[in-house]
Amino acid sequence: MELTLLMKLRIAAAAVVGVVLIGIVAWPSQSPPDPFGSLVFKEIGASGAVTLLIMAFLAGLISYFAAWPYGREIGILSVPFGLCIWAIRAGSTGGLMQLNPTAAQRSDVLAALRWEPLFWLLVLACGFAGVILGQRITARLQKQKNIEKVDYTPVKLIYMIISALLSGVIVIFCIRLFARDVAILDSRLEYVPAQPALGQIIFAVLLSFGIAAFAIKMLFNVSYIWPIISCAFITAYTASSYANSNILAHFVQSYPALFFPNSVISILPVQMVTFGTIGSIAGYWMAVRYSYWRKHEM
């Protein structure tokens, strides 16, 4: 099940579409006013958000045909690859905390970050919608009457819910393990990690979501969608641990702005969703490949 040269070219084509439409065309109008600032939703604004959603939809639609006849499988990568440019240039949570030194200011920042992954998931959803539209256009042109439908039985729904929750647990555990830079021992929290470097964030998020997607595929035979969905509550859960008034006051008084109760909250939502999506898709297909190998080679 090695990737052929043609398949690699299809993946590259989908990536180029996303990078051009989202990473290059859409970025200048949405980038933070401060070149050293951190990218958060409030910096994008309503008009910027609408522009990004439209670009994501177009990227998904175009990449479906660029990756034909495997547009359904490959086209969904277009938006995450495009958002990689944003995630790399997004700054850091530590930078936000440096600009908001008081406990009240940081509480407001955490409240804003808590549900921000929902917006980035919506961007991904628009890309997926573009892929689905491309599939329907192709089906109509080829006069196909039936498009694959998913049978959501009660057992399947339970597996999906468990998969999302389990993915979140795995991701939080793995990121705390892999995204560890300098850490200071603390009498209340055992240790407090510093802001990880960008490369470490990319590595930790990709690997953590890859492990989660691999595990739930092997356990429940469900798709990569559920680890991706877990992004919605991972940031919310970890931000709550920092937003506790006692812990927040402890950090303001005792540590520089670049230190956090855990390394998960040091990752911006755009970075979590973007690299988490790519890691989830990679982990899923690695599980598929492993299952094939175990069935035919052993």
Side-chain angles (χ1 to χ4, degrees):
M1 293 183 66
E2 295 291 337
L3 289 177
T4 64
L5 176 61
L6 189 56
M7 190 64 73
K8 292 177 181 178
L9 290 175
R10 291 188 180 104
I11 295 173
V16 168
V17 171
V19 168
V20 170
L21 288 180
I22 297 175
I24 297 177
V25 175
W27 171 260
S29 61
Q30 329 301 336
S31 57
D34 181 0
F36 299 101
S38 301
L39 180 64
V40 291
F41 176 73
K42 69 178 182 179
E43 299 289 353
I44 297 175
S47 61
V50 172
T51 300
L52 179 57
L53 294 175
I54 293 172
M55 287 296 184
F57 179 81
L58 291 175
L61 179 61
I62 296 171
S63 63
Y64 175 84
F65 294 103
W68 173 261
Y70 299 101
R72 174 72 180 268
E73 294 77 15
I74 298 174
I76 57 175
L77 288 168
S78 181
V79 173
F81 276 126
L83 284 178
C84 278
I85 307 298
W86 293 51
I88 290 171
R89 302 177 68 177
S92 68
T93 306
L96 282 175
M97 297 307 167
Q98 287 178 313
L99 295 174
N100 298 273
T102 69
Q105 288 175 321
R106 292 187 187 179
S107 179
D108 291 339
V109 169
L110 293 169
L113 290 180
R114 191 169 294 164
W115 301 110
E116 187 172 309
L118 294 175
F119 168 72
W120 299 108
L121 288 173
L122 179 60
V123 176
L124 291 179
C126 286
F128 290 1
V131 170
I132 293 172
L133 177 60
Q135 184 185 23
R136 292 189 179 277
I137 292 173
T138 303
R140 176 161 295 192
L141 292 175
Q142 295 180 343
K143 297 183 179 179
Q144 296 177 359
K145 295 182 179 180
N146 296 321
I147 295 179
E148 181 183 352
K149 295 181 180 179
V150 181
D151 182 19
Y152 291 108
T153 62
V155 174
K156 191 78 171 177
L157 288 172
I158 292 173
Y159 279 170
M160 290 174 179
I161 294 171
I162 293 174
S163 297
L165 295 174
L166 180 59
S167 296
V169 172
I170 293 173
V171 167
I172 290 172
F173 174 81
C174 290
I175 288 180
R176 295 182 70 168
L177 185 65
F178 299 138
R180 296 181 64 173
D181 204 321
V182 177
I184 298 176
L185 294 177
D186 184 88
S187 58
R188 296 178 59 178
L189 301 171
E190 294 185 2
Y191 76 96
V192 291
Q195 172 73 52
L198 176 61
Q200 195 170 19
I201 288 175
I202 296 173
F203 167 78
V205 177
L206 286 173
L207 184 57
S208 299
F209 277 89
I211 292 172
F214 185 96
I216 66 165
K217 171 62 178 175
M218 299 303 296
L219 289 172
F220 306 119
N221 193 29
V222 294
S223 80
Y224 46 76
I225 293 296
W226 304 103
I228 295 172
I229 288 177
S230 71
C231 293
F233 61 83
I234 288 173
T235 300
Y237 172 78
T238 54
S240 298
S241 68
Y242 190 9
N244 178 285
S245 58
N246 292 330
I247 293 178
L248 196 54
H250 176 60
F251 269 80
V252 169
Q253 295 171 5
S254 306
Y255 295 104
L258 296 179
F259 284 83
F260 301 90
N262 60 72
S263 53
V264 183
I265 190 58
S266 68
I267 300 172
L268 287 171
V270 62
Q271 296 170 333
M272 185 74 74
V273 173
T274 299
F275 301 127
T277 299
I278 296 173
S280 296
I281 295 173
Y284 171 86
W285 286 110
M286 287 183 67
V288 171
R289 181 174 180 176
Y290 174 74
S291 297
Y292 178 88
W293 173 82
R294 190 171 62 175
K295 180 178 179 180
H296 296 280
E297 302 294 336
M298 292 185 67

